[in-house]
């Protein structure tokens, strides 16, 4: 059995953040009595965008974290990058409801971008270092595919 501790921990943390962001949207919907769209409510719009923004970034990061963890043993660098991504998502979610510009929103997106860029470059480096015919855990084939 393959256990991916960095991926599992990060996915759990991001899922909790996503639920928290969704709950904040629902709270504002109830308070403003807006069930569809934002109807011009700036707080609801900000909370909706924070939730959607997380939904846009988290999947890419999770795919890269899983692939890097499968390709390499999970060292402290992967833990650190995944942790920075989670902190960035949390900070961005908190910052979205504050007047712009603010350090939580800006810092959150900068951590998100930095972590995503680091994961993307790391994945490309791993791919370039690994022979194309080798798949971890798969038996080597002696016959070429026709």
């Amino acid at each position: 059995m393959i256990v991916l501790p960095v991926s599992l921990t990060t996915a759990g943390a991001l899922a909790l953040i996503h639920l928290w962001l969704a709950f904040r949207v629902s709270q504002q919907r109830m308070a403003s009595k807006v069930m569809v769209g934002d109807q011009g409510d700036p707080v609801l719009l900000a909370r909706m965008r924070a939730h959607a923004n997380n939904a846009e970034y988290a999947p890419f990061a999770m795919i890269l974290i899983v692939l890097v963890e499968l390709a390499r043993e999970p060292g402290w660098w992967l833990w650190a990058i995944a942790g920075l991504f989670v902190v960035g998502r949390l900070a961005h979610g908190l910052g979205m409801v504050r007047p712009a510009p603010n350090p939580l929103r800006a810092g959150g997106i900068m951590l998100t971008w930095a972590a995503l860029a680091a994961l993307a470059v790391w994945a490309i480096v791993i791919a370039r270092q690994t022979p194309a015919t080798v798949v971890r855990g798969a038996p080597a084939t002696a016959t070429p595919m026709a």
Side-chain angles (χ1 to χ4, degrees):
M1 173 181 7
I2 297 175
V3 178
L4 305 172
V6 179
S7 299
L8 290 168
T9 303
T10 306
L14 290 174
L16 291 174
I17 290 170
H18 204 70
L19 286 170
W20 167 67
L21 292 168
F23 178 74
R24 289 171 27 127
V25 170
S26 295
Q27 271 185 319
Q28 188 62 29
R29 284 192 179 286
M30 299 304 283
S32 62
K33 297 179 176 52
V34 175
M35 296 302 119
V36 177
D38 63 58
Q39 293 186 5
D41 182 337
V43 174
L44 179 56
L45 178 60
R47 289 182 179 189
M48 289 170 60
R49 282 305 312 146
H51 182 247
N53 188 275
N54 191 64
E56 293 161 0
Y57 281 103
F60 284 106
M62 279 310 310
I63 289 167
L64 288 166
I65 290 166
V66 168
L67 291 173
V68 168
E69 191 169 17
L70 282 170
R72 298 286 189 262
E73 291 299 317
W76 71 271
W77 275 105
L78 187 56
W79 280 107
I81 292 170
L84 288 175
F85 184 82
V86 169
V87 169
R89 294 288 71 219
L90 187 58
H92 185 266
L94 289 168
M96 279 295 291
V97 295
R98 289 176 168 76
N102 70 68
L104 284 173
R105 183 176 178 187
I109 200 63
M110 294 307 289
L111 284 174
T112 296
W113 288 344
L116 199 55
L119 288 165
V121 169
W122 196 355
I124 292 167
V125 168
I126 290 170
R128 301 284 298 155
Q129 292 174 346
T130 306
T133 57
V134 176
V135 177
R136 184 173 157 176
T141 56
T143 58
M145 296 178 73

